[in-house]
């Protein structure tokens, strides 16, 4: 089965992502509580190797990948694809001009 | 009750909008007759076709609720992959039944990424052999089939018995899980990589890497372009991870409401 790395590291990283997503009240969020409860119930440590634990670890690693990728994709979108067009004022400013306030180009 | 999720139909405008302002404070889940529901303040979430949004698994409902609660000032629908998958399962907009879904999935085998090989340049051909042969071998062993690979423009010649084996294997999944499987296959452009992922033989990151092998090779050679390459990589990872999680959460017999999953 895949999902390399220690289950505890995956759990910590997953909780960190959930904290990022939720904000201040992350501890009360259903996802945070569900993940903690699931790990406690299966008591994931590096010694035990039962199938249910491996499946849980794989699920946690997959969810971690989802949260992380969505965050990174969002950041890239904002950085490169979100800005839209510049306003006429901004374009003028690029070459050192200011748009005129009065018709006829005065002022 | 408000059709909160009907992005594109809320307000005027001919084009579906990609974003709208977050209009709710609290997100919670509750259990109804058909399964778990999502509440945005006091409103129940609906699908684009105005059906009640109900999911068979509590864990899936929690993950969907988390997507909605993660939205800040604006709701970015294109990041809410689990919600989208649930909407597809509930609305079935392409109107496909189980047989049609399975047929679409298995058809991908004829142009499966890992079976379709180049001869030039030699370095890429070698990379494909080293990275993709093991996955094919795994699939052949796991499913007791013959698959092989090909450099022909027509692609590999997949025996009918191989296709039949995959058809009956996929038939063991319920309708919701099948939607997820078909989604993952269209993202990765490979049935074999998808099965490898769903059978937990490889991780999402590895599956995406293998799917994008040629891109990764070109990136190594010619350099990375963040706003294109990384953008695509993250999006593919997000979608594949969502699809995989969706399949697993809809297949777990212990947590699933079977009435909802009737085919």
């Amino acid at each position: 089965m895949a999902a390399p790395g220690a289950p505890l590291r995956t759990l910590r990283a997953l909780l960190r992502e959930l904290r990022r997503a939720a904000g201040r009240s992350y501890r009360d969020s259903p996802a945070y509580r569900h993940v903690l409860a699931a790990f406690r119930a299966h008591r994931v440590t590096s010694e035990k190797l039962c199938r249910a634990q491996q499946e849980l670890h794989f699920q946690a690693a997959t969810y971690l990948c989802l949260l992380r990728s969505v965050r990174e994709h969002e950041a890239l979108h904002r950085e490169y694809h979100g800005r839209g067009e510049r306003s006429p004022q901004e374009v003028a400013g690029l070459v050192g001009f200011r748009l005129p306030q009065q018709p006829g180009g005065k002022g | 009750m408000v059709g909160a999720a009907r992005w594109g139909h809320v307000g005027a405008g001919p084009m579906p909008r990609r974003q709208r302002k977050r209009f709710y404070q609290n997100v919670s889940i509750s259990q109804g007759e058909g399964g778990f529901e999502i509440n945005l303040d006091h409103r129940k979430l609906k699908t684009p076709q105005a059906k009640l949004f109900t999911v068979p698994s509590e864990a899936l409902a929690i993950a969907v609720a988390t997507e909605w609660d993660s939205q800040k000032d604006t709701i970015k629908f294109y990041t809410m992959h689990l919600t989208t998958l649930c909407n597809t399962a509930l609305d079935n907009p392409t109107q496909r039944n189980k047989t049609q879904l399975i047929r679409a999935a298995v058809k991908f085998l004829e142009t499966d990424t890992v079976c379709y090989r180049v001869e030039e340049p030699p370095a890429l051909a070698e990379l494909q052999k080293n990275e993709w042969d093991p996955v094919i071998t795994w699939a052949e062993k796991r499913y007791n089939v013959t698959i092989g690979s090909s450099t022909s423009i027509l692609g590999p010649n997949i025996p009918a018995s191989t296709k039949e084996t995959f058809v009956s294997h996929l038939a063991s999944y319920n309708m919701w899980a099948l939607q997820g499987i078909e989604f993952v296959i269209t993202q990765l452009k490979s049935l074999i990589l998808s099965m490898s992922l769903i059978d937990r033989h490889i991780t999402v990151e590895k599956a995406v890497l293998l799917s994008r092998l040629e891109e990764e090779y070109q990136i190594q050679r010619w350099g990375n372009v963040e706003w294109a390459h990384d953008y695509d990589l993250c999006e593919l990872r997000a979608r594949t991870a969502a699809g995989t999680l969706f399949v697993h959460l809809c297949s777990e017999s212990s947590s699933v409401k079977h009435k909802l999953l009737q085919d």
Side-chain angles (χ1 to χ4, degrees):
Chain A
M1 201 171 279
L8 276 174
R9 196 187 307 150
T10 307
L11 171 64
R12 262 189 235 122
L14 178 53
L15 293 177
R16 225 179 296 134
E17 286 292 334
L18 284 171
R19 225 178 295 158
R20 271 184 142 123
R24 306 128 269 133
S25 57
Y26 66 89
R27 256 187 285 251
D28 296 324
S29 70
Y32 200 85
R33 281 183 284 149
H34 182 92
V35 167
L36 273 178
F39 269 81
R40 273 194 204 116
H42 285 86
R43 223 160 285 273
V44 183
T45 63
S46 357
E47 294 98 51
K48 297 199 181 159
L49 285 165
C50 96
R51 188 182 168 79
Q53 281 164 355
Q54 285 179 333
E55 286 181 5
L56 173 66
H57 184 205
F58 187 90
Q59 221 170 75
T62 304
Y63 191 34
L64 170 61
C65 180
L66 172 59
L67 291 174
R68 201 183 259 160
S69 308
V70 164
R71 180 173 52 79
E72 289 172 352
H73 178 242
E74 218 343 68
L76 283 169
H77 187 88
R78 254 175 301 144
E79 175 79 22
Y80 293 113
H81 298 261
R83 237 158 248 171
E85 274 190 13
R86 292 191 182 89
S87 70
Q89 283 79 9
E90 286 178 323
V91 175
L94 278 179
V95 291
F97 293 134
R98 277 179 311 172
L99 291 177
Q101 315 291 3
Q102 294 173 27
K106 299 185 177 118
Chain B
M1 301 212 192
V2 171
R6 277 188 290 172
W7 52 87
H9 306 290
V10 180
M15 290 280 287
R17 283 186 281 165
R18 299 191 79 203
Q19 300 186 151
R20 64 170 287 194
K21 277 205 164 59
R22 177 166 172 156
F23 54 88
Y24 49 91
Q25 282 259 41
N26 298 308
V27 183
S28 61
I29 62 172
S30 52
Q31 196 162 351
E33 266 198 31
F36 297 89
E37 299 157 3
I38 312 289
N39 306 299
L40 305 173
D41 290 331
H42 55 276
R43 305 181 196 85
K44 290 208 179 290
L45 181 61
K46 301 272 197 76
T47 70
Q49 288 180 11
K51 295 198 186 109
L52 181 65
F53 189 99
T54 328
V55 300
S57 145
E58 186 179 12
L60 181 55
I62 290 173
V64 168
T66 306
E67 280 185 344
W68 283 88
D69 209 20
S70 308
Q71 305 307 311
K72 306 284 186 267
D73 307 310
T74 52
I75 304 172
K76 298 182 166 57
F77 295 111
Y78 59 88
T79 63
M80 300 165 75
H81 304 293
L82 291 172
T83 302
T84 307
L85 282 163
C86 292
N87 281 331
T88 305
L90 285 163
D91 286 346
N92 195 8
T94 59
Q95 293 287 301
R96 287 184 292 184
N97 61 28
K98 195 165 170 179
T99 311
Q100 289 166 319
L101 264 184
I102 293 173
R103 201 186 311 142
V106 176
K107 189 150 174 63
F108 243 98
L109 203 46
E110 295 163 18
T111 53
D112 205 298
T113 298
V114 302
C115 299
Y116 224 102
R117 305 297 175 87
V118 300
E119 286 178 306
E120 293 289 324
L124 179 55
E126 180 79 13
L127 187 65
Q128 289 182 341
K129 180 167 161 289
N130 293 335
E131 296 296 323
W132 288 347
D133 278 0
V135 198
I136 295 180
T137 306
W138 169 85
E140 286 178 332
K141 224 178 263 168
R142 158 87 174 82
Y143 292 97
N144 198 23
V145 291
T146 306
I147 301 171
S149 61
S150 169
T151 55
S152 151
I153 193 126
L154 298 171
N157 192 10
I158 310 285
S161 55
T162 301
K163 292 186 196 171
E164 276 154 32
T165 303
F166 282 113
V167 165
S168 49
H169 176 74
L170 288 177
S172 67
Y173 286 93
N174 62 57
M175 194 60 178
W176 277 59
L178 266 176
Q179 298 271 15
I181 293 172
E182 202 256 350
F183 177 72
V184 172
I185 292 173
T186 50
Q187 293 306 307
L188 293 176
K189 309 283 188 282
S190 165
L191 170 70
I192 295 172
L193 286 177
S194 304
M195 294 323 298
S196 185
L197 179 56
I198 284 159
D199 288 349
R200 301 186 186 88
H201 176 67
I202 55 176
T203 61
V204 171
E205 288 89 343
K206 181 82 192 243
V208 167
L209 175 69
L210 292 176
S211 174
R212 284 170 43 97
L213 199 64
E214 179 160 0
E215 278 103 315
E216 292 301 319
Y217 170 78
Q218 303 296 0
I219 288 166
Q220 295 279 346
R221 279 214 68 193
W222 303 106
N224 190 39
V225 179
E226 196 183 47
W227 57 261
H229 291 135
D230 285 355
Y231 187 82
D232 289 345
L233 175 65
C234 289
E235 187 171 39
L236 184 58
R237 271 192 188 153
R239 289 182 173 178
T240 306
T244 306
L245 191 62
F246 184 82
V247 171
H248 288 148
L249 291 177
C250 293
S251 314
E252 276 169 0
S253 47
S254 54
S255 61
V256 149
K257 296 246 169 224
H258 286 280
K259 194 168 61 164
L260 191 66
L261 298 170
Q262 229 63 177
D263 303 321

